């Protein structure tokens, strides 16, 4: 039993506490609808919250769309996290569905926040699109790395955010008879750090590794497995991301700020990727065979990048396509198919966004270094390579003893490689082809890993799109319908 009956009663979802709201919403294909929905404002999803601002969720359930009654009791439940940059996320300001636009220090506008169904910094409010499609929407807040309590202790660093999202899922399942929707059809969504957490939530369903953390906050005694996982540009597999980054973007030697990348560092990391990729023993999609550092560029071209450019070009008028091709002469267009070389693709993308190492910086200055801090320490190293080269204020010479456990709790790849029987079996993964926030191999490996163990995966790259973009939300909404048959 994870919580006694006293605390369990604190977790009962009060169905009467809610209001009916009416909004005019635009669906994923651009059509306007009048949506009447029941909105249940912020409530805590754990019995012993450390922070009720962040450990709360809101629920929106459609009642009527264009005057027609909707039976939400059997609808899929879209769990739309709003995490960006591993920072805290909150429902405090939620009005109906969605949240206010946040600015993330060092990163810019947070993805996926708030507002209308129209693009928000190129990104779409999936919560509203799901609601107008007739799905139940749950928007959880979660602790994040910047939180500090009254005694100066940090309480939102790893693994707090994933523990909170799991607790939110447990709360939904614990209240299966009270929260509208089908708890067997929970579909998680998130972008960037939120995409990483979405993937982790899907991969790690019901893992006992989180039990102590969940007990501590009084999470409900229920399953935290989810049906399907959607992740846009997941910033994940962090302990291997520096190596993957140099493999992908390392030929571009100019770092942000204009200084050149240290060639030795870039080459060291790139060679780590060769070993890592071989160790994964993954086969590519579409019968590609074993994925290696040597054939990965060809794999990305064939499987993702050329099809993505083809789709983009096909959608243009003949005149616009001619203009595009005249500007981008590296692309050959034959028989309605785009082909090009890897090096030309890299030049087309241009400058890398991050220095080397991209994630575990020698001065421990990245969001990820901060995410691996403790209650009483600031940012920490999480790779041996950077720890031994640290230039941080109080340099470590090796990673701290608890780091391997934290990495285990934060990386979906481990749960997938051990074929966690309670993982999601349906995966939607998207990435902008110009997104240099992490390596393209990160999401391609995630897709290959779940595909190799028999899961259903729909992974595509958005041609000419950058970080945190979502240009096919209508396809995503339709995909939820397909996988649930609803
Ligand atoms: C996000 C972006 C990053 O480049 C990163 O390293 C971590 C998170 C984000 O947008 O959430």
């Amino acid at each position: 039993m994870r919580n006694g009956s006293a605390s369990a009663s604190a977790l009962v979802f009060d169905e009467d506490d809610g209001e009916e709201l009416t909004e005019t919403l635009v669906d994923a294909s651009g059509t306007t609808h009048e949506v009447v929905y029941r909105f249940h404002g912020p409530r805590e999803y754990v019995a012993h919250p450390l922070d009720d601002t962040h450990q709360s969720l809101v629920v929106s359930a459609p009642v009527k769309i264009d005057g027609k009654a909707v039976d939400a009791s059997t609808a899929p439940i879209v769990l739309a996290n709003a995490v960006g940059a591993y920072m805290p996320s909150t429902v405090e300001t939620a009005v109906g569905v969605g949240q206010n636009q946040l600015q993330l220090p060092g990163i810019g506008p947070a993805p996926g926040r708030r507002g209308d169904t129209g693009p928000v910094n190129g990104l779409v409010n999936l919560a509203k699109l799901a609601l107008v499609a007739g799905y139940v929407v749950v928007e959880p807040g979660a602790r994040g790395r910047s939180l500090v309590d009254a005694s100066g202790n940090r309480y939102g660093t790893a693994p707090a955010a994933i523990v909170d999202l799991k607790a939110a899922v447990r709360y939904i399942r614990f209240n299966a008879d009270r929260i509208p929707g089908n708890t067997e059809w929970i579909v998680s969504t998130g972008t960037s750090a939120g995409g990483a957490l979405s993937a982790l939530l899907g991969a790690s369903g019901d893992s006992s590794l989180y039990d102590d953390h969940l007990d501590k906050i009084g999470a409900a005694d229920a399953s935290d497995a989810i049906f399907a996982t959607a992740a846009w540009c997941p910033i994940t597999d962090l302990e291997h991301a520096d190596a993957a980054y140099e493999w992908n973007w390392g030929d571009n030697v100019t770092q942000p700020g204009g200084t050149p990348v240290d060639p030795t560092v870039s080459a060291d990391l790139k060679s780590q990727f060769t070993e890592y990729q071989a160790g994964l023993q993954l086969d590519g999609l579409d019968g590609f065979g074993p994925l290696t550092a040597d054939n990965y560029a060809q794999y990305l071209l064939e499987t993702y990048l050329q099809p993505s450019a083809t789709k983009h070009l096909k959608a243009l008028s003949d005149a616009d396509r001619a203009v595009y091709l005249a500007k981008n002469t590296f692309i050959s267009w034959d028989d309605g198919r785009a082909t090009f070389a890897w090096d030309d693709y890299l030049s087309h993308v241009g400058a890398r966004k991050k220095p080397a190492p991209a994630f575990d910086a020698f001065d421990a200055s990245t969001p990820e270094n901060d995410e691996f801090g403790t209650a009483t320490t600031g940012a920490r190293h999480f790779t041996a390579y950077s720890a031994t080269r640290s230039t941080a204020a109080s340099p470590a010479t090796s990673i701290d003893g608890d780091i391997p456990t934290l990495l285990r709790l934060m990386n979906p790849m481990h749960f997938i490689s051990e074929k966690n029987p309670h993982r999601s079996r349906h995966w939607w993964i998207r990435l902008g082809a110009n997104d240099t926030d992490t390596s393209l191999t990160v999401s391609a490996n995630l897709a290959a890993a779940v595909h190799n163990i028999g899961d259903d995966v729909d992974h595509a790259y958005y041609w000419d799109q950058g970080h945190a973009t979502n240009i096919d939300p209508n396809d995503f909404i339709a995909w939820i319908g397909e996988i649930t048959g609803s």
Side-chain angles (χ1 to χ4, degrees):
M1 219 23 212
R2 295 200 174 84
N3 44 261
S5 54
S7 50
S9 68
L11 293 173
V12 170
F13 179 83
D14 178 1
E15 295 156 81
D16 295 332
D17 178 7
E19 58 184 319
E20 205 160 276
L21 301 176
T22 302
E23 275 191 61
T24 302
L25 297 178
V26 180
D27 71 16
S29 59
T31 310
T32 299
H33 302 275
E34 189 185 77
V35 181
V36 179
Y37 63 102
R38 221 172 138 64
F39 175 64
H40 302 274
R43 58 208 61 209
E44 291 159 4
Y45 54 69
V46 290
H48 314 304
L50 295 162
D51 174 333
D52 56 10
T53 303
H54 299 96
Q55 294 173 306
S56 293
L57 53 73
V58 296
V59 176
S60 305
V63 175
K64 254 195 256 174
I65 299 177
D66 296 331
K68 203 165 153 251
V70 176
D71 177 10
S73 66
T74 57
I77 300 173
V78 174
L79 179 72
N81 86 56
V83 176
Y86 296 100
M87 292 292 277
S89 54
T90 169
V91 295
E92 214 180 14
T93 54
V95 255
V97 286
Q99 290 190 23
N100 291 318
Q101 187 67 49
L102 290 179
Q103 291 289 323
L104 301 174
I107 286 184
R113 299 312 196 289
R114 168 77 216 142
D116 310 313
T117 42
V120 182
N121 302 308
L123 212 120
V124 171
N125 184 322
L126 288 169
K128 287 198 177 185
L129 291 180
L131 185 68
V132 71
Y135 304 147
V136 173
V137 177
V138 178
E139 294 173 272
R143 286 170 292 163
R145 63 188 165 87
S146 63
L147 297 172
V148 180
D149 69 17
S151 334
N153 289 321
R154 306 178 68 198
Y155 65 95
T157 55
I162 185 62
V163 170
D164 284 354
L165 293 180
K166 283 178 169 290
V169 174
R170 289 182 177 209
Y171 176 87
I172 296 168
R173 286 184 173 272
F174 177 78
N175 286 293
D177 296 338
R178 292 173 289 266
I179 293 181
N182 182 346
T183 51
E184 294 309 308
W185 284 343
I186 298 175
V187 181
S188 160
T189 69
T191 300
S192 201
L197 290 165
S198 186
L200 180 58
L201 191 65
S204 67
D206 286 343
S207 167
S208 59
L209 295 181
Y210 302 88
D211 281 353
D212 289 349
H213 295 281
L214 287 160
D215 282 352
K216 209 153 121 195
I217 56 175
D221 186 12
S223 165
D224 55 62
I226 57 168
F227 179 71
T229 299
W232 282 262
C233 55
I235 303 283
T236 192
D237 199 8
L238 296 174
E239 64 268 41
H240 305 111
D242 289 334
Y245 200 91
E246 294 315 309
W247 174 88
N248 196 154
W249 310 117
D251 288 346
N252 189 329
V253 296
T254 309
Q255 303 183 107
T259 54
V261 167
D262 180 332
T264 308
V265 170
S266 185
D268 285 352
L269 291 168
K270 194 170 172 176
S271 72
Q272 284 178 16
F273 179 74
T274 305
E275 201 178 321
Y276 173 58
Q277 191 61 45
L280 282 177
Q281 299 191 296
L282 292 176
D283 286 336
L285 269 55
D286 306 326
F288 186 85
L291 289 173
T292 67
D294 285 345
N295 67 20
Y296 218 125
Q298 189 55 31
Y299 176 64
L300 289 169
L301 285 172
E302 278 176 26
T303 314
Y304 297 115
L305 296 171
Q306 293 176 161
S308 151
T310 299
K311 186 174 174 186
H312 176 80
L313 285 163
K314 269 195 172 150
L316 297 180
S317 68
D318 288 351
D320 287 348
R321 188 181 317 115
V323 170
Y324 187 93
L325 290 168
K327 252 200 236 151
N328 296 281
T329 51
F330 73 100
I331 300 178
S332 305
W333 180 252
D334 293 306
D335 294 331
R337 255 189 92 230
T339 51
F340 43 85
W342 175 249
D343 286 350
D344 291 333
Y345 157 74
L346 291 179
S347 307
H348 177 67
V349 173
R352 55 190 281 164
K353 180 167 177 181
K354 297 185 173 182
F359 292 89
D360 189 356
F362 294 153
D363 63 358
S365 61
T366 70
E368 288 75 13
N369 289 128
D370 198 38
E371 172 68 357
F372 287 108
T374 67
T376 50
T377 62
R380 291 193 298 170
H381 291 294
F382 54 92
T383 65
Y385 186 81
S386 290
T388 53
R389 289 161 181 78
S390 185
T391 59
S394 39
T397 47
S398 59
I399 54 170
D400 287 349
D402 62 319
I403 288 281
T405 303
L406 290 179
L407 293 170
R408 180 79 177 80
L409 294 174
M410 293 302 289
N411 192 337
M413 296 300 281
H414 302 303
F415 296 96
I416 296 165
S417 73
E418 64 194 17
K419 304 184 188 165
N420 173 18
H422 301 287
R423 71 185 182 276
S424 284
R425 301 303 164 107
H426 302 277
W427 300 79
W428 178 272
I429 306 168
R430 289 293 184 271
L431 179 63
N434 286 7
D435 188 340
T436 67
D437 277 51
T438 192
S439 170
L440 300 187
T441 60
V442 170
S443 52
N445 273 341
L446 177 63
V450 294
H451 182 264
N452 284 189
I453 56 171
D455 296 354
D456 153 41
V457 59
D458 188 327
H459 181 23
Y461 290 56
Y462 300 135
W463 186 249
D464 273 354
Q465 299 292 317
H467 186 59
T469 47
N470 176 359
I471 62 168
D472 60 354
N474 44 344
D475 293 345
F476 172 63
I477 295 294
W479 179 77
I480 297 176
E482 281 160 30
I483 59 172
T484 58
S486 66

